Amino acid sequence: MLLPLACLHGRVAQCLTSLLLLAEPLPRPRRGARARGAASTGAEAAPAVPPAKMAAELYAPASAAAADLANSNAGAAVVRKAGPRSPPSAPAPAPPPPAPAPPTLGNHHQESPGWRCCRPTLRERNALMFNNELMADVHFVVGPPGATRTVPAHKYVLAVGSSVFYAMFYGDLAEVKSEIHIPDVEPAAFLILLNPAMGAWEPAPDAGPASPRYMYSDEIDLEADTVLATLYAAKKYIVPALAKACVNFLETSLEAKNACVLLSQSRLFEEPELTQRCWEVIDAQAEMALRSEGFCEIDRQTLEIIVTREALNTKEAVVFEAVLNWAEAECKRQGLPVTPRNKRHVLGRALYLVRIPTMTLEEFANGAAQSDILTLEETHSIFLWYTATNKPRLDFPLTKRKGLAPQRCHRFQSSAYRSNQWRYRGRCDSIQFAVDRRVFIAGLGLYGSSSGKAEYSVKIELKRLGVVLAQNLTKFMSDGSSNTFPVWFEHPVQVEQDTFYTASAVLDGSELSYFGQEGMTEVQCGKVAFQFQCSSDSTNGTGVQGGQIPELIFYA
């Protein structure tokens, strides 16, 4: 018996529905295998299938299934007409047609015509074009010889995002070549220029959906390893928004160990705001900055600028030691043996910018005098300058650096003392504070004895979220007055804005001392606003309204 026509149409519709459901695209590739995918699949990309052919492929298997069903029914009717002795076996069902291949996603692949359906917004479809051969009309060979990468791109998109690319592709002297070489830009930085959210070659396996692209969709995501190279690319191709994002990123990651390198780069890129931030860090944390590995990587012009800096907040012996370390590194860069003669050669006039005569006699005798970089005549003259009445003429600056003047934030309006009122028996005095701009906390001002001259042992700490950033165990003398007495950290600590920090002191000494009264929750100190609140670490009575730690000593 023939199948009804309605059943036949139902089977065809069911097959079509199944095929359309199977045609869903694969999920977006993830972040890790970008380099592998780009290298291995770029040459295997198949040409896009025309829409008409795709429609024919979708409908052809269903039509074949319908024909098979009709032929099977016809054959069964013939057998029955001949009068078989046993009932015929049921026709075997037609095998399901193969599902059409889903759209191929990933760099250097041409997309199936179905790629638009799974990217509903123009922004998503535009972002897909990043590092994609689909409709690419230009290729960049990026990087120095031997380490190049080929990046497909789209002239229109690049021209919209950069005036340099616009002139390159659509100006009076437009580039007509389809392959453009850029040897002075790192491949990773060039990819970030096009796509800061995905600077590598393939998405990582655990990264989830691919992030949007910068020139392709105007979003930025930077990393410390490539931000300087990206800033160079952004400057070269005049992409101000990306350049500003790079500078902001560098400012937030700025610290003593990279301040000198960033100073050198900020001068190269002509970024005055970043230069100023670098100087703030170098001045306040000069010893840490000069002893960092980054200091040895700067160019000689930047070295001379730093050594002449009047506000460097460190001893001259530290400056001299840093200059010698730089000279040793420069000898190695130039392939020269590390000898005193070669050190003098690579330093040039920078040696005579160090203010050697401002060292103490002990510092000079134990340091510079034994360095072998000074001539015997120079060493002899400097010793005479320290000791002789008629001082010889020296080629080194004679005036001491001014350094930075510390500022003090006083949080009490008055102080007092009472018999047996304030005791120190190993308990902690603590207060929390926040500032509205970056500063460098150098130490704490503390009250001393109210019953005459006395010595205190003290441990001071600065913490953030329970993590100790700085501490010092030392002693100080108080003279019996209501004055505050400074206790310093070994190095100033950079404090970020709008974040609470905890300052603590544990004193051991005379039990009778002064204490603060009429404490303020907010104090304006120059350009910096301080905010105070009580700390749960305080076990000796100190709080916002009264107690110890009357002052925060800082540089700004």
Short mmCIF file of all heavy atoms in Angstrom, two decimals, residues 357-394:
data_model
loop_
_atom_site.label_atom_id
_atom_site.label_comp_id
_atom_site.label_asym_id
_atom_site.label_seq_id
_atom_site.Cartn_x
_atom_site.Cartn_y
_atom_site.Cartn_z
N PRO A 357 81.93 65.11 46.49
CA PRO A 357 82.36 65.83 47.70
C PRO A 357 81.27 66.01 48.75
O PRO A 357 81.59 66.38 49.89
CB PRO A 357 82.81 67.19 47.14
CG PRO A 357 83.15 66.94 45.71
CD PRO A 357 82.16 65.91 45.27
N THR A 358 80.00 65.75 48.40
CA THR A 358 78.93 65.88 49.40
C THR A 358 78.75 64.62 50.23
O THR A 358 77.96 64.60 51.16
CB THR A 358 77.60 66.23 48.72
OG1 THR A 358 77.16 65.11 47.92
CG2 THR A 358 77.72 67.47 47.86
N MET A 359 79.49 63.54 49.90
CA MET A 359 79.48 62.35 50.75
C MET A 359 80.20 62.69 52.07
O MET A 359 80.97 63.64 52.15
CB MET A 359 80.23 61.20 50.07
CG MET A 359 79.66 60.72 48.75
SD MET A 359 80.71 59.38 48.10
CE MET A 359 79.99 59.17 46.47
N THR A 360 79.95 61.89 53.06
CA THR A 360 80.76 62.01 54.27
C THR A 360 82.15 61.44 53.97
O THR A 360 82.33 60.67 53.01
CB THR A 360 80.14 61.23 55.44
OG1 THR A 360 80.16 59.83 55.13
CG2 THR A 360 78.71 61.68 55.70
N LEU A 361 83.12 61.83 54.77
CA LEU A 361 84.47 61.33 54.57
C LEU A 361 84.50 59.81 54.66
O LEU A 361 85.19 59.13 53.88
CB LEU A 361 85.41 61.95 55.62
CG LEU A 361 86.87 61.46 55.60
CD1 LEU A 361 87.51 61.72 54.24
CD2 LEU A 361 87.67 62.13 56.72
N GLU A 362 83.74 59.25 55.57
CA GLU A 362 83.69 57.79 55.72
C GLU A 362 83.08 57.13 54.49
O GLU A 362 83.58 56.10 54.01
CB GLU A 362 82.89 57.43 56.97
CG GLU A 362 82.84 55.94 57.26
CD GLU A 362 82.04 55.62 58.52
OE1 GLU A 362 81.48 56.56 59.12
OE2 GLU A 362 81.98 54.44 58.89
N GLU A 363 81.99 57.70 53.96
CA GLU A 363 81.37 57.14 52.76
C GLU A 363 82.33 57.17 51.58
O GLU A 363 82.42 56.21 50.81
CB GLU A 363 80.09 57.92 52.43
CG GLU A 363 78.94 57.67 53.38
CD GLU A 363 77.77 58.60 53.12
OE1 GLU A 363 77.97 59.66 52.47
OE2 GLU A 363 76.65 58.28 53.58
N PHE A 364 83.06 58.28 51.44
CA PHE A 364 84.00 58.38 50.33
C PHE A 364 85.15 57.38 50.49
O PHE A 364 85.53 56.69 49.53
CB PHE A 364 84.56 59.80 50.23
CG PHE A 364 85.64 59.95 49.21
CD1 PHE A 364 85.34 59.91 47.86
CD2 PHE A 364 86.97 60.09 49.60
CE1 PHE A 364 86.35 60.02 46.90
CE2 PHE A 364 87.98 60.21 48.65
CZ PHE A 364 87.67 60.17 47.31
N ALA A 365 85.69 57.29 51.70
CA ALA A 365 86.84 56.43 51.93
C ALA A 365 86.50 54.96 51.71
O ALA A 365 87.31 54.19 51.17
CB ALA A 365 87.39 56.64 53.34
N ASN A 366 85.29 54.56 52.12
CA ASN A 366 84.89 53.15 52.01
C ASN A 366 84.26 52.80 50.66
O ASN A 366 84.07 51.63 50.36
CB ASN A 366 83.90 52.79 53.12
CG ASN A 366 84.55 52.83 54.49
OD1 ASN A 366 85.74 52.56 54.62
ND2 ASN A 366 83.77 53.17 55.50
N GLY A 367 83.95 53.81 49.87
CA GLY A 367 83.27 53.57 48.60
C GLY A 367 84.03 54.07 47.40
O GLY A 367 84.81 53.35 46.77
N ALA A 368 83.81 55.33 47.03
CA ALA A 368 84.37 55.89 45.81
C ALA A 368 85.88 55.82 45.77
O ALA A 368 86.48 55.56 44.71
CB ALA A 368 83.90 57.34 45.65
N ALA A 369 86.54 56.03 46.90
CA ALA A 369 88.01 56.04 46.91
C ALA A 369 88.58 54.67 46.57
O ALA A 369 89.73 54.57 46.11
CB ALA A 369 88.52 56.50 48.28
N GLN A 370 87.82 53.60 46.80
CA GLN A 370 88.31 52.25 46.53
C GLN A 370 87.68 51.63 45.27
O GLN A 370 87.86 50.44 45.02
CB GLN A 370 88.00 51.35 47.73
CG GLN A 370 88.65 51.81 49.02
CD GLN A 370 88.41 50.84 50.16
OE1 GLN A 370 88.50 49.62 49.99
NE2 GLN A 370 88.10 51.39 51.34
N SER A 371 87.00 52.44 44.49
CA SER A 371 86.30 51.91 43.32
C SER A 371 87.21 51.71 42.12
O SER A 371 86.85 51.04 41.15
CB SER A 371 85.16 52.85 42.93
OG SER A 371 85.69 54.10 42.47
N ASP A 372 88.39 52.37 42.13
CA ASP A 372 89.36 52.32 41.03
C ASP A 372 88.90 53.07 39.79
O ASP A 372 89.62 53.08 38.78
CB ASP A 372 89.70 50.87 40.62
CG ASP A 372 90.45 50.13 41.72
OD1 ASP A 372 91.17 50.80 42.49
OD2 ASP A 372 90.30 48.90 41.80
N ILE A 373 87.74 53.67 39.85
CA ILE A 373 87.28 54.42 38.66
C ILE A 373 87.81 55.84 38.69
O ILE A 373 87.89 56.51 37.65
CB ILE A 373 85.74 54.40 38.57
CG1 ILE A 373 85.31 54.77 37.15
CG2 ILE A 373 85.11 55.35 39.60
CD1 ILE A 373 83.84 54.58 36.89
N LEU A 374 88.17 56.35 39.85
CA LEU A 374 88.78 57.67 39.96
C LEU A 374 90.29 57.54 39.77
O LEU A 374 90.90 56.54 40.18
CB LEU A 374 88.48 58.30 41.32
CG LEU A 374 87.00 58.50 41.68
CD1 LEU A 374 86.89 59.04 43.09
CD2 LEU A 374 86.32 59.42 40.69
N THR A 375 90.89 58.55 39.20
CA THR A 375 92.35 58.55 39.08
C THR A 375 92.96 58.83 40.45
O THR A 375 92.29 59.32 41.37
CB THR A 375 92.80 59.63 38.09
OG1 THR A 375 92.47 60.92 38.62
CG2 THR A 375 92.15 59.44 36.73
N LEU A 376 94.25 58.53 40.59
CA LEU A 376 94.93 58.80 41.86
C LEU A 376 94.92 60.29 42.17
O LEU A 376 94.78 60.70 43.33
CB LEU A 376 96.38 58.28 41.78
CG LEU A 376 96.56 56.76 41.80
CD1 LEU A 376 98.03 56.40 41.62
CD2 LEU A 376 96.02 56.20 43.10
N GLU A 377 95.04 61.10 41.15
CA GLU A 377 95.03 62.56 41.35
C GLU A 377 93.66 63.01 41.85
O GLU A 377 93.58 63.85 42.77
CB GLU A 377 95.40 63.27 40.05
CG GLU A 377 95.46 64.79 40.19
CD GLU A 377 95.80 65.48 38.88
OE1 GLU A 377 96.10 64.77 37.90
OE2 GLU A 377 95.77 66.72 38.85
N GLU A 378 92.59 62.48 41.27
CA GLU A 378 91.24 62.85 41.71
C GLU A 378 91.00 62.40 43.15
O GLU A 378 90.45 63.16 43.97
CB GLU A 378 90.19 62.22 40.79
CG GLU A 378 90.15 62.85 39.40
CD GLU A 378 89.31 62.05 38.42
OE1 GLU A 378 89.06 60.85 38.68
OE2 GLU A 378 88.92 62.62 37.39
N THR A 379 91.40 61.19 43.48
CA THR A 379 91.22 60.68 44.84
C THR A 379 91.98 61.53 45.85
O THR A 379 91.45 61.90 46.91
CB THR A 379 91.69 59.22 44.93
OG1 THR A 379 90.98 58.44 43.97
CG2 THR A 379 91.45 58.65 46.32
N HIS A 380 93.22 61.89 45.52
CA HIS A 380 94.05 62.71 46.41
C HIS A 380 93.42 64.08 46.61
O HIS A 380 93.35 64.60 47.75
CB HIS A 380 95.45 62.83 45.82
CG HIS A 380 96.39 63.67 46.63
ND1 HIS A 380 96.69 64.98 46.32
CD2 HIS A 380 97.08 63.39 47.79
CE1 HIS A 380 97.50 65.47 47.22
NE2 HIS A 380 97.77 64.52 48.12
N SER A 381 92.93 64.68 45.54
CA SER A 381 92.35 66.02 45.64
C SER A 381 91.08 66.02 46.50
O SER A 381 90.85 66.95 47.27
CB SER A 381 92.03 66.55 44.24
OG SER A 381 93.20 66.71 43.47
N ILE A 382 90.27 64.97 46.37
CA ILE A 382 89.04 64.91 47.15
C ILE A 382 89.36 64.72 48.64
O ILE A 382 88.71 65.34 49.50
CB ILE A 382 88.12 63.79 46.63
CG1 ILE A 382 87.65 64.11 45.22
CG2 ILE A 382 86.91 63.60 47.56
CD1 ILE A 382 86.90 62.99 44.53
N PHE A 383 90.36 63.90 48.96
CA PHE A 383 90.77 63.75 50.36
C PHE A 383 91.24 65.09 50.92
O PHE A 383 90.93 65.46 52.07
CB PHE A 383 91.88 62.70 50.50
CG PHE A 383 91.36 61.32 50.75
CD1 PHE A 383 91.67 60.28 49.88
CD2 PHE A 383 90.58 61.03 51.86
CE1 PHE A 383 91.20 58.99 50.12
CE2 PHE A 383 90.10 59.74 52.10
CZ PHE A 383 90.42 58.73 51.23
N LEU A 384 92.01 65.84 50.14
CA LEU A 384 92.45 67.16 50.59
C LEU A 384 91.27 68.11 50.77
O LEU A 384 91.25 68.94 51.69
CB LEU A 384 93.45 67.75 49.58
CG LEU A 384 94.84 67.12 49.54
CD1 LEU A 384 95.69 67.77 48.47
CD2 LEU A 384 95.52 67.24 50.91
N TRP A 385 90.28 67.97 49.88
CA TRP A 385 89.11 68.85 49.99
C TRP A 385 88.39 68.63 51.32
O TRP A 385 87.88 69.57 51.92
CB TRP A 385 88.15 68.57 48.81
CG TRP A 385 87.07 69.59 48.68
CD1 TRP A 385 87.11 70.73 47.95
CD2 TRP A 385 85.78 69.57 49.31
NE1 TRP A 385 85.93 71.43 48.08
CE2 TRP A 385 85.09 70.73 48.91
CE3 TRP A 385 85.14 68.68 50.16
CZ2 TRP A 385 83.81 71.04 49.32
CZ3 TRP A 385 83.86 68.98 50.59
CH2 TRP A 385 83.20 70.14 50.18
N TYR A 386 88.35 67.37 51.80
CA TYR A 386 87.72 67.07 53.08
C TYR A 386 88.52 67.64 54.26
O TYR A 386 87.96 68.06 55.26
CB TYR A 386 87.58 65.56 53.28
CG TYR A 386 86.43 64.91 52.52
CD1 TYR A 386 86.69 64.01 51.50
CD2 TYR A 386 85.12 65.20 52.85
CE1 TYR A 386 85.65 63.41 50.81
CE2 TYR A 386 84.07 64.60 52.15
CZ TYR A 386 84.34 63.71 51.14
OH TYR A 386 83.30 63.12 50.46
N THR A 387 89.85 67.63 54.15
CA THR A 387 90.68 67.84 55.34
C THR A 387 91.50 69.12 55.34
O THR A 387 91.82 69.66 56.41
CB THR A 387 91.64 66.65 55.50
OG1 THR A 387 92.44 66.51 54.31
CG2 THR A 387 90.86 65.36 55.75
N ALA A 388 91.89 69.59 54.18
CA ALA A 388 92.82 70.72 54.13
C ALA A 388 92.11 72.06 54.29
O ALA A 388 90.93 72.21 53.96
CB ALA A 388 93.59 70.70 52.81
N THR A 389 92.85 73.02 54.80
CA THR A 389 92.31 74.39 54.92
C THR A 389 92.19 75.01 53.55
O THR A 389 91.16 75.61 53.20
CB THR A 389 93.21 75.24 55.82
OG1 THR A 389 93.32 74.62 57.10
CG2 THR A 389 92.63 76.64 55.98
N ASN A 390 93.25 74.91 52.77
CA ASN A 390 93.22 75.40 51.39
C ASN A 390 92.74 74.25 50.49
O ASN A 390 93.50 73.36 50.14
CB ASN A 390 94.61 75.87 50.96
CG ASN A 390 95.08 77.06 51.76
OD1 ASN A 390 94.28 77.92 52.11
ND2 ASN A 390 96.38 77.10 52.08
N LYS A 391 91.48 74.31 50.16
CA LYS A 391 90.87 73.20 49.41
C LYS A 391 91.20 73.30 47.93
O LYS A 391 91.15 74.38 47.34
CB LYS A 391 89.35 73.21 49.63
CG LYS A 391 88.96 73.06 51.09
CD LYS A 391 87.46 72.95 51.24
CE LYS A 391 87.07 72.88 52.72
NZ LYS A 391 87.65 71.71 53.41
N PRO A 392 91.52 72.17 47.32
CA PRO A 392 91.83 72.18 45.88
C PRO A 392 90.57 72.35 45.04
O PRO A 392 89.44 72.15 45.50
CB PRO A 392 92.46 70.81 45.67
CG PRO A 392 91.84 69.94 46.71
CD PRO A 392 91.62 70.83 47.91
N ARG A 393 90.80 72.68 43.78
CA ARG A 393 89.68 72.78 42.83
C ARG A 393 89.28 71.37 42.39
O ARG A 393 90.13 70.55 42.06
CB ARG A 393 90.09 73.63 41.63
CG ARG A 393 89.00 73.76 40.58
CD ARG A 393 89.50 74.52 39.36
NE ARG A 393 88.51 74.55 38.32
CZ ARG A 393 88.31 73.59 37.44
NH1 ARG A 393 89.06 72.50 37.48
NH2 ARG A 393 87.37 73.69 36.53
N LEU A 394 87.96 71.11 42.38
CA LEU A 394 87.45 69.79 41.97
C LEU A 394 86.54 69.94 40.76
O LEU A 394 85.91 70.99 40.55
CB LEU A 394 86.67 69.13 43.12
CG LEU A 394 87.44 68.87 44.42
CD1 LEU A 394 86.52 68.24 45.46
CD2 LEU A 394 88.63 67.95 44.15
#
